[in-house]
Amino acid sequence: MSTTYTLDTGTSRANPTPAPLRRLTIPGLRARKVDGVTAEPIVSLTAYTARQAQLLDAHCDLLLVGDSLGQVIYGLPSSVPVTLDMMAAHGAAVVRGSYHSVVIIDMPFGSYEGSPEQAFESASRLLKETGAAGVKLEGGIAMAETIAFLSARGIPVCAHIGLTPQAVNALGGYGPRGRDEAEAAKIMADAHAVAAAGCFAMVIEGVVEPLAAKITAAVPCPTIGIGASAACDGQVLVTDDLLGMFERTPRFVKRYADVASTISQAAADYAAEVRARSFPTADQIYGAKK
Ligand code: KIV
């Protein structure tokens, strides 16, 4: 049975029918990996709006309010200009639109790298203002101290290693990582460092298949792959990519729909009706007053 929503205009909450699903928890997701084996893979997608969250929620375990919203929602050239204000606003919308999935929010570039204290200030603001359960931040060994600092203070952290898009200016692009031995060894060391620091999970992005599989076998917490390996303990994708909202998507993305064409066609049909003056009038819609 599909879920329908009634908007409570007082609180902006969409109340689901049938009754709310119970929200999953971060310890519950973390506990899915036992002795290196995750029997039930973690299903994760990005979400940026309340309506998107409503539609994805029942199908996912983890909704990520990704800083990819910089490109997807705001048309920015990268995630570098994304701000804490943006993440807080979209994070709150996604929490309001979901009842079942764990919601975590990306820490934007510049909001956490300065010091563990800076990271705590930013992360605690995100949790207070949104109701999300945790944060994600990019970086390996260099971020281990910060991950330990936040985790010890009640802020669950999902790490993000391999291709780290906030570092696009240092990396020089979004190409796959871990192709040569030295880089693969560095990424493996990053994985061990963030796991030892206490992250509850780690995103492995754009890493060659055998390395992602090796990391998954080596670390105790779940790995969530994106353009990495089917062997990861879960997968995440940018929702707008799998929906087919863009002409160009990363090569590893399978499109499950062609929503861009549907929107375009609907707008074209509407425009044609307006121009032909065949747009339905209020009388046609509501019935003429007698
Ligand atoms: O910002 C984002 O959407 C992400 C995912 C692609 C992992 O970090």
Side-chain angles (χ1 to χ4, degrees):
M1 183 159 110
S2 69
T3 308
T4 56
Y5 293 86
T6 313
L7 186 68
D8 175 347
T9 47
T11 60
S12 292
R13 251 196 110 85
N15 294 314
T17 308
L21 298 159
R22 228 183 116 111
R23 203 184 279 280
L24 300 174
T25 64
I26 284 180
L29 293 186
R30 168 65 187 83
R32 282 197 194 176
K33 187 163 180 174
V34 180
D35 297 332
V37 179
T38 302
E40 190 186 352
I42 295 172
V43 179
S44 181
L45 283 170
T46 61
Y48 315 117
T49 67
R51 184 59 183 148
Q52 199 179 31
Q54 288 166 2
L55 295 170
L56 304 176
D57 189 37
H59 309 286
C60 290
D61 303 309
L62 180 67
L63 290 177
L64 166 66
V65 186
D67 62 353
S68 50
L69 63 74
Q71 294 101 310
V72 174
I73 302 279
Y74 291 95
L76 294 167
S78 74
S79 54
V80 171
V82 171
T83 65
L84 261 182
D85 285 347
M86 289 176 184
M87 299 312 298
H90 288 273
V94 169
V95 171
R96 282 196 295 271
S98 61
Y99 285 84
H100 164 71
S101 303
V102 170
V103 177
I104 63 169
I105 305 181
D106 257 336
M107 304 268 282
F109 180 68
S111 73
Y112 63 95
E113 303 89 331
S115 66
E117 289 78 9
Q118 183 207 18
F120 184 82
E121 199 167 311
S122 301
S124 58
R125 178 187 160 196
L126 287 177
L127 298 201
K128 277 172 192 270
E129 291 185 13
T130 67
V135 296
K136 177 167 84 57
L137 57 81
E138 296 184 9
I141 293 169
M143 282 301 124
E145 186 191 350
T146 295
I147 292 170
F149 190 89
L150 296 182
S151 305
R153 286 159 180 77
I155 300 183
V157 180
C158 178
H160 183 154
I161 60 166
L163 170 59
T164 48
Q166 290 176 9
V168 62
N169 291 314
L171 298 173
Y174 298 102
R177 319 301 302 173
R179 282 203 156 137
D180 67 68
E181 241 174 70
E183 196 174 64
K186 164 74 171 72
I187 295 169
M188 179 57 93
D190 283 340
H192 281 298
V194 296
C199 65
F200 76 86
M202 68 181 78
V203 166
I204 305 178
E205 178 166 359
V207 160
V208 293
E209 216 281 330
L211 176 60
K214 229 163 106 181
I215 293 171
T216 298
V219 298
C221 67
T223 61
I224 302 176
I226 172 163
S229 167
C232 288
D233 302 299
Q235 299 293 329
V236 63
L237 280 181
V238 171
T239 297
D240 298 68
D241 283 343
L242 79 84
L243 291 179
M245 285 292 281
F246 298 106
E247 284 68 37
R248 280 187 56 221
T249 52
R251 267 184 295 161
F252 58 79
V253 172
K254 177 180 168 192
R255 285 180 186 217
Y256 292 80
D258 184 9
V259 174
S261 299
T262 305
I263 292 174
S264 222
Q265 191 56 55
D269 292 349
Y270 163 76
E273 288 190 7
V274 171
R275 289 185 183 116
R277 300 195 191 283
S278 68
F279 193 65
T281 64
D283 279 357
Q284 284 166 337
I285 293 169
Y286 301 118
K289 219 173 173 188
K290 301 203 174 99

